[in-house]
Amino acid sequence: MECREIFKKYNLQQAFSSRNKKYEERKEQEDYALAICNALENNKILVIEAETGIGKTLGYLLAAIFCAKKYNKRIIISTYTKVLQNQILNSDILLAKKIFDFDFSYAVAYGRENYPCKRRIKQIYNYQLFEFSDEEKIYEQLTTDRGIPIDLLENYPFLKEKIASASEACLNEKCKYYKECVYQIERKKWKECNLLIVNHALFFTNLKYPILPEYEAVIFDEAHSIEDICANSFGFSISENYLKNLLFRLYNPKTKKGLLKILKLENKKLKEYQREIFNVLDNLNNYFQRIKDFLESEKKKRIKGDLTILPNFLIPLKNLKEKIVKDVSKMENEEIAIEFVAWMKEVEEKIKNIEDFYKEKANFVFWIAEEKNSLSLNAALVDVQEVMKENLFNKEIPIIFTSATLRIGKDSNFEFFTSRLGIKKYDKNYFPSPFDYSQQALVYIEKNIPSPTEEEFFYEKAAKIIDDIIYHAKGRTLVLFTSFEALKRVYELCDKTKYKEYKILLQDEDASPTQLLSEFKREINASLFATGSFWQGIDVPGESLSCLIITRLPFDVPDEPRIEGIKEKLKKENLDPFLHYQLPNAVLKFRQGFGRLIRSKEDYGAIVILDRRIREKSYGKYFLSSLPKGVKITDNINCLISFLKKCTNQNF
């Protein structure tokens, strides 16, 4: 049977009905799935853009399932986030099960740190090593619930280091909980499945530290995000809080708890360890205070050349580790000993990272950052081409890169995307959206507004315009910013009394994007001020979203450490960084932002652009030409208001 027969033989209409969903017949989806089938069958690298409305996820799933089953292969589906993994698992894969009349096996894989270890939980419970007021209640739930919810670790991040499954702290078959170990049970499923659903961070981490089973093909969804994730995965980030918590796992001076208490050391020996830990903490605090002084009022600073502030805490930390090594060698209880072994290996890895931070390394950028009252040392790759070649392209397996935004311009030009990843030989394809943007969408460009470079004047005018639009759209507005600072400033200037019946949801650094998005969908007349991850990957179909406001063209901050590194590399190659990286990258992000609005043939909405440079600057044409075919563009505010009125009444 050929791949195309999926759409002829199997009843997609019936499958959708069984899931209480409306099926829209899409010829483009069929052709899209066929193109992926051909690449999988002929061992090709395929770069394929499918704009919003094609039914991309179901399309590649049907192709992957068909080929995996037909050729008895394991195919990895890698997507941007765990949220999108769960979306595939709880929606699209269930549809696929209804469509096919044969069984296929699938599994979802998260990073090992997302799977709690029952032995570690029991050990902490038995030794009463609780450090937080609600921690005992959490452990009671974990010790009685075999199917431990992964989300729990996200809500209580302090638990991860203590109870997460870790290779260094694993007894494998020797463990008495081995047969009921959540991680081992899941890993067995990975090895037996046709389809394995992962996220990009896990996929690229696996290239360094293999935990996933062998695979014969990969489909990258949301492929536009791969470069950044790969660059960070082959780097590191070590925070001040992380290093302190690492020490507190041995002994926490405030709670007087920690692994050392398990050893039941004589008082003299315990005090020796405490002195060692206090010494490391003092040096650690001293080091990060000097780093804070070095940063001054900046939140982020790139390190080029030698940093004169030396990590004076490393020597006492190494001494503490050596002391642990000697005492662990005398331990007879393997369950306790392995916790100290895991601690030592973690320390060794972080020491190496910190030492690397103080060395010049080709193709890396290093920087210091302050976030959530914690400083961090960071590193990332500048160029990922060699890493992709050595770890992925050399496997000579079929690889599909797909997204709604991979091209620059309307001539199917994938050159920017492929050059960034070092893809040399590939097939390409493009499927335009089936939506009628001439009827479903309107783009309004505000002309009576200062340039975003005149920040205070721009923020003040932007706030007034946003007030009016939220009022006319009856809420139902997503306002996208390029920084938290701009978001907060505009929000402060908004006159919320004008539309007090319409709730405003605000993203901040500590907000959970998943919870925020759920609330936005649930509160039909709410508006959401957001940045970062909300530019891509979110799906808000229907009346909860009638208007999208793009406050500023989404250029990356030019002095962002990795952006600086990329610019320097391009200049050495006699290439203009703006034309060869900053502009095409911003256009792709702009297209991602635009794609949040129209999600089905029943959706209607307006896109408001507050950045007048899109009309005034020569580069603005690249953004305008990236808009969907047929979409109407206006600078008449009355046209916008009239269109919003129709949207909110659904009067089309």
Side-chain angles (χ1 to χ4, degrees):
M1 183 178 68
E2 297 300 321
C3 180
R4 191 179 287 279
E5 292 182 37
I6 295 171
F7 293 85
K8 295 176 182 176
K9 179 179 177 182
Y10 301 106
N11 191 335
L12 273 70
Q13 175 76 55
Q14 187 176 338
F16 271 75
S17 298
S18 69
R19 298 282 302 156
N20 295 317
K21 293 190 174 189
K22 183 179 179 181
Y23 174 64
E24 296 175 0
E25 188 174 338
R26 300 170 182 175
K27 173 69 164 54
E28 300 92 345
Q29 185 184 56
E30 183 178 335
D31 291 338
Y32 171 80
L34 182 63
I36 291 174
C37 266
N38 287 338
L40 292 172
E41 290 181 327
N42 295 298
N43 203 33
K44 299 279 190 179
I45 292 179
L46 174 65
V47 180
I48 183 168
E49 178 177 294
E51 290 185 342
T52 308
I54 296 296
K56 176 168 56 77
T57 308
L58 185 62
Y60 69 64
L61 274 177
L62 295 179
I65 292 164
F66 176 81
C67 290
K69 193 72 176 177
K70 182 177 179 180
Y71 299 103
N72 193 28
K73 289 182 176 181
R74 179 179 299 109
I75 296 177
I76 280 187
I77 303 287
S78 182
T79 192
Y80 184 39
T81 62
K82 285 186 280 186
V83 172
L84 291 174
Q85 279 179 275
N86 292 337
Q87 188 174 299
I88 292 171
L89 190 68
N90 298 322
S91 179
D92 299 281
I93 205 86
L94 299 179
L95 266 176
K97 284 184 73 175
K98 293 284 185 181
I99 290 167
F100 289 114
D101 62 2
F102 57 79
D103 289 331
F104 61 90
S105 56
Y106 62 92
V108 62
Y110 307 98
R112 185 164 183 165
E113 72 278 3
N114 290 282
Y115 298 95
C117 169
K118 196 161 189 176
R119 181 192 61 76
R120 298 182 89 184
I121 293 166
K122 287 282 189 181
Q123 186 167 272
I124 292 170
Y125 195 87
N126 291 340
Y127 288 101
Q128 293 290 292
L129 298 178
F130 310 119
E131 295 183 62
F132 304 91
S133 57
D134 57 350
E135 198 170 339
E136 186 167 359
K137 291 179 182 178
I138 296 166
Y139 284 123
E140 284 175 0
Q141 177 190 346
L142 293 174
T143 52
T144 56
D145 183 2
R146 184 172 175 273
I148 301 166
I150 291 170
D151 289 346
L152 192 67
L153 290 183
E154 294 181 349
N155 296 330
Y156 297 92
F158 61 82
L159 292 176
K160 270 194 177 185
E161 297 155 13
K162 294 164 64 175
I163 66 168
S165 178
S167 57
E168 299 87 355
C170 185
L171 291 168
N172 293 307
E173 288 88 347
K174 293 181 183 178
C175 179
K176 58 186 173 184
Y177 301 109
Y178 182 77
K179 289 184 179 178
E180 56 190 280
C181 172
V182 177
Y183 174 71
Q184 297 297 346
I185 290 169
E186 291 301 307
R187 201 173 179 200
K188 187 179 178 185
K189 292 177 186 175
W190 304 349
K191 293 176 181 177
E192 296 171 349
C193 69
N194 301 122
L195 216 64
L196 183 58
I197 303 160
V198 307
N199 57 68
H200 295 338
L202 172 58
F203 183 88
F204 287 105
T205 299
N206 181 71
L207 296 184
K208 286 200 305 180
Y209 310 110
I211 62 167
L212 299 176
E214 287 298 314
Y215 48 90
E216 287 79 31
V218 187
I219 298 174
F220 288 107
D221 190 12
E222 305 292 338
H224 60 274
S225 61
I226 283 175
E227 182 189 347
D228 287 341
I229 293 173
C230 178
N232 289 322
S233 295
F234 280 83
F236 59 79
S237 180
I238 305 170
S239 74
E240 172 188 11
N241 285 349
Y242 173 86
L243 291 170
K244 287 179 179 178
N245 286 333
L246 195 56
L247 289 170
F248 294 159
R249 270 164 56 196
L250 278 185
Y251 181 77
N252 188 326
K254 288 184 179 178
T255 63
K256 297 186 170 31
K257 300 285 180 70
L259 289 171
L260 290 176
K261 298 294 284 184
I262 299 175
L263 300 181
K264 297 181 179 176
L265 300 167
E266 58 183 55
N267 199 44
K268 182 181 177 182
K269 186 79 170 177
L270 179 60
K271 288 191 178 298
E272 282 179 19
Y273 267 119
Q274 288 171 348
R275 280 195 296 271
E276 295 268 5
I277 291 167
F278 289 147
N279 186 29
V280 179
L281 272 173
D282 285 343
N283 281 280
L284 192 65
N285 287 329
N286 175 267
Y287 172 76
F288 279 107
Q289 183 56 54
R290 287 183 292 141
I291 291 291
K292 191 176 182 67
D293 295 340
F294 171 73
L295 270 182
E296 296 177 325
S297 60
E298 294 181 71
K299 290 292 184 183
K300 193 176 288 186
K301 187 178 284 190
R302 186 178 169 198
I303 304 302
K304 295 177 70 174
D306 294 334
L307 179 64
T308 56
I309 304 168
L310 298 178
N312 52 334
F313 62 89
L314 284 188
I315 292 175
L317 181 58
K318 288 177 182 178
N319 292 339
L320 175 62
K321 183 183 77 72
E322 291 307 315
K323 193 177 184 70
I324 295 284
V325 169
K326 290 177 184 176
D327 285 340
V328 166
S329 64
K330 302 171 189 173
M331 291 182 192
E332 295 180 1
N333 187 324
E334 192 175 6
E335 280 197 17
I336 295 175
I338 200 167
E339 286 298 326
F340 287 94
V341 170
W343 184 89
M344 289 186 291
K345 287 183 177 177
E346 207 169 331
V347 167
E348 286 168 4
E349 182 188 5
K350 300 313 169 192
I351 287 173
K352 183 182 182 306
N353 289 156
I354 293 164
E355 289 174 341
D356 284 345
F357 187 84
Y358 280 82
K359 296 174 186 174
E360 282 277 357
K361 291 184 75 176
N363 198 30
F364 272 90
V365 285
F366 300 92
W367 71 95
I368 296 166
E370 183 177 11
E371 188 177 0
K372 298 179 183 179
N373 297 317
S374 179
L375 296 159
S376 62
L377 310 179
N378 306 273
L381 285 173
V382 174
D383 191 309
V384 304
Q385 292 185 50
E386 200 58 37
V387 163
M388 292 290 287
K389 179 182 175 183
E390 290 178 5
N391 295 280
L392 186 59
F393 298 144
N394 282 354
K395 289 180 181 287
E396 297 184 347
I397 59 174
I399 305 171
I400 286 83
F401 297 94
T402 189
S403 169
T405 55
L406 293 178
R407 299 174 311 120
I408 301 295
K410 295 187 180 295
D411 56 354
S412 295
N413 186 349
F414 293 94
E415 188 178 341
F416 174 69
F417 173 77
T418 56
S419 66
R420 295 305 306 166
L421 297 186
I423 306 171
K424 304 298 184 188
K425 188 178 179 182
Y426 61 95
D427 291 346
K428 62 183 179 181
N429 216 323
Y430 159 62
F431 293 93
S433 174
F435 298 153
D436 183 359
Y437 283 101
S438 66
Q439 296 299 314
Q440 291 182 254
L442 177 75
V443 172
Y444 170 79
I445 300 174
E446 177 60 55
K447 59 183 178 181
N448 299 313
I449 189 170
S451 168
T453 55
E454 304 173 68
E455 289 188 347
E456 286 308 311
F457 298 110
F458 173 77
Y459 292 155
E460 189 174 337
K461 181 66 175 178
K464 289 178 180 176
I465 295 168
I466 291 168
D467 283 340
D468 288 340
I469 289 171
I470 290 176
Y471 173 76
H472 287 292
K474 298 181 180 177
R476 308 179 187 193
T477 301
L478 172 61
V479 189
L480 290 175
F481 296 85
T482 57
S483 71
F484 281 111
E485 182 185 352
L487 184 156
K488 290 172 185 173
R489 190 74 190 97
V490 170
Y491 176 76
E492 288 167 359
L493 291 167
C494 283
D495 179 13
K496 275 77 71 176
T497 59
K498 183 169 184 176
Y499 44 88
K500 57 186 176 183
E501 68 269 37
Y502 307 138
K503 185 177 183 180
I504 287 189
L505 304 173
L506 201 65
Q507 184 189 14
D508 60 34
E509 290 91 336
D510 299 320
S512 163
T514 307
Q515 292 174 5
L516 207 54
L517 183 60
S518 295
E519 189 174 358
F520 183 46
K521 288 179 179 179
R522 191 170 59 250
E523 300 271 353
I524 290 176
N525 293 107
S527 292
L528 172 60
F529 285 31
T531 185
S533 60
F534 282 87
W535 279 84
Q536 60 183 331
I538 67 162
D539 190 2
V540 189
E543 57 184 337
S544 291
L545 182 55
S546 296
C547 185
L548 172 76
I549 301 177
I550 293 176
T551 54
R552 185 172 186 158
L553 296 177
F555 288 104
D556 288 315
V557 179
D559 59 356
E560 186 76 19
R562 185 165 177 266
I563 305 302
E564 275 192 350
I566 291 170
K567 286 162 62 181
E568 289 165 5
K569 183 177 184 297
L570 289 170
K571 284 177 182 176
K572 286 178 184 176
E573 296 168 356
N574 294 317
L575 296 171
D576 184 333
F578 182 78
L579 292 177
H580 286 86
Y581 182 77
Q582 290 165 281
L583 178 58
N585 206 43
V587 171
L588 287 181
K589 192 171 181 181
F590 177 79
R591 291 186 66 205
Q592 277 289 323
F594 186 98
R596 298 316 98 214
L597 187 67
I598 306 298
R599 308 299 296 178
S600 76
K601 289 182 178 179
E602 280 75 42
D603 272 355
Y604 297 89
I607 295 89
V608 175
I609 300 169
L610 300 184
D611 193 335
R612 73 183 198 193
R613 294 176 300 176
I614 199 168
R615 286 283 203 195
E616 295 177 350
K617 297 294 184 181
S618 59
Y619 57 73
K621 64 185 179 220
Y622 292 98
F623 293 94
L624 291 173
S625 67
S626 75
L627 292 170
K629 186 178 180 181
V631 67
K632 293 173 184 173
I633 302 174
T634 184
D635 58 12
N636 186 322
I637 189 67
N638 292 322
C639 288
L640 173 65
I641 292 170
S642 175
F643 191 84
L644 287 174
K645 187 176 181 181
K646 289 180 181 179
C647 288
T648 53
N649 293 329
Q650 291 292 293
N651 184 23
F652 282 85

